[in-house]
Amino acid sequence: MSDDPFGPTILEDPSDFHRNMRERGPIVYLSRYDVYGMGRYNDVHAALIDWQSFESAAGVGLSNFRYEKPWRPPSLLLESNPPRHDAPRGVLSAILNVRALKGLRDNWIADAAALVDELCDRREVDAVADIARVFPLRVFPDAVGIGRTGRDNLLPYGDHLFNAFGPSNELVAKGAHRIGELSAWVMAQCERAALRDEVIDGQPTFGAQIWAAADRGDITYEQAPLVVRSLLSAGVDTTVLGISAVLAAFAHHPDQWRAVRDNPALARVAFDEAVRWESPVQTFFRTATKDIAIGDHVVPDGKKILMFLGSANRDPRRWADPDQFDLRRNPSGHVGFGMGIHQCVGQHVARLEAEALLVALTQRFESIAMTGTPRRHHNNTLRAWETLPITLTPA
Ligand code: OVM
């Protein structure tokens, strides 16, 4: 196929391209970039699990680290293979597992309630600017333990980082002039002295816990700042867009809002269904570690294969009525958080943020309705909203 999956037409609405790709077979050749693409659920799932054949250490963007110098030091988690991947991964999963987050829960529920109270006397709001960008930025940087100044750098850093996984098109060019400054700020936040180490909500900050893991020898002191960097890289734009997606989903499906109001226990499944439905992280590449026969193709050793997570999550071979946001379905098994050894290590943090916010919203608002024209924000990796004008009707 000659289409440009990173061009504005497909970024605006990838659904036709995804369908064409899935119908052509398990794998397609994308001539524009000399890479392969996978769009069917079963094949994407199988490739993500097979990290030995489809590696991450050559980078999960278009740039192939076997031949090109990465634009920043590679992530110890995302852009590495076992055995190097395992110690950083083990440290972060212990810090971010469900039990370890228990201490944050009550505080985040109170923070969400306070934010929602502020919305009560403003019926018309932008679900992106007034809710989805606000809540993660109120709770997550505090949980990591970074200082108060410069937090407005986090979203532009993430936007550029996720663009940089794609080709060096206009989206990358528009962020290039600021990235030196943004990267320097992010790296400065990862130093031990920059991270608060007092106990908050019964636990040290994520950042302090990462440095404590270096004290124990679980990771090295050289690795600690890069593990903190992963939190600041992967933990902000993604959750903003996951929350945007679930709010957009409810604005499009009023019956589903009634269902979650009747049963707030559905808030958690709603978030995962929204991650399936929207796939905020649309794509990541893998690199073939040997010649791999798939369908009518042999993918040569060293070639990049683009995993279309968003296409897999709407593959009708796997999902009944895939374009419907439906709380009666079980979305587990979606690949919106990836799958296998690299599956999102922060997913429990994301779910807790979304749940706290949704429960607060269900308690105060009878309906969420789209009132203006929503507008997409284009990014080479992320499916994003620039604005989602909604009307909130108090209960
Ligand atoms: C990281 C990283 C950066 C971006 C995304 C991501 C979705 C991880 O630096 O480890 O996972």
Side-chain angles (χ1 to χ4, degrees), residues 352-365:
L352 187 57
E353 289 179 34
E355 182 192 8
L357 193 53
L358 285 175
V359 168
L361 287 165
T362 58
Q363 286 167 354
R364 281 165 193 74
F365 297 110

Side-chain angles (χ1 to χ4, degrees), residues 41-90:
Y41 177 87
N42 280 342
D43 301 285
V44 168
H45 187 276
L48 290 176
I49 280 177
D50 184 3
W51 58 266
Q52 294 94 335
S53 307
F54 300 90
E55 70 161 336
S56 292
V60 298
L62 178 61
S63 171
N64 191 326
F65 298 173
R66 293 193 194 181
Y67 315 116
E68 288 179 83
K69 184 175 144 51
W71 73 271
R72 59 170 200 166
S75 166
L76 301 178
L77 289 119
L78 183 73
E79 297 160 320
S80 83
N81 297 335
R84 286 169 40 115
H85 166 262
D86 300 337
R89 171 76 190 202

Side-chain angles (χ1 to χ4, degrees), residues 8 18 29 51 156 171 185 201 233 292 311 319 321 333 390:
H18 287 167
Y29 181 63
W51 58 266
L171 294 171
W185 178 84
D201 301 327
S233 299
I292 304 171
S311 171
W319 310 97
D321 230 343
I390 59 170

Side-chain angles (χ1 to χ4, degrees), residues 221-239:
Y221 285 111
E222 288 69 43
Q223 289 176 318
L226 278 180
V227 175
V228 180
R229 192 193 69 177
S230 282
L231 293 182
L232 300 178
S233 299
V236 186
D237 300 64
T238 50
T239 48

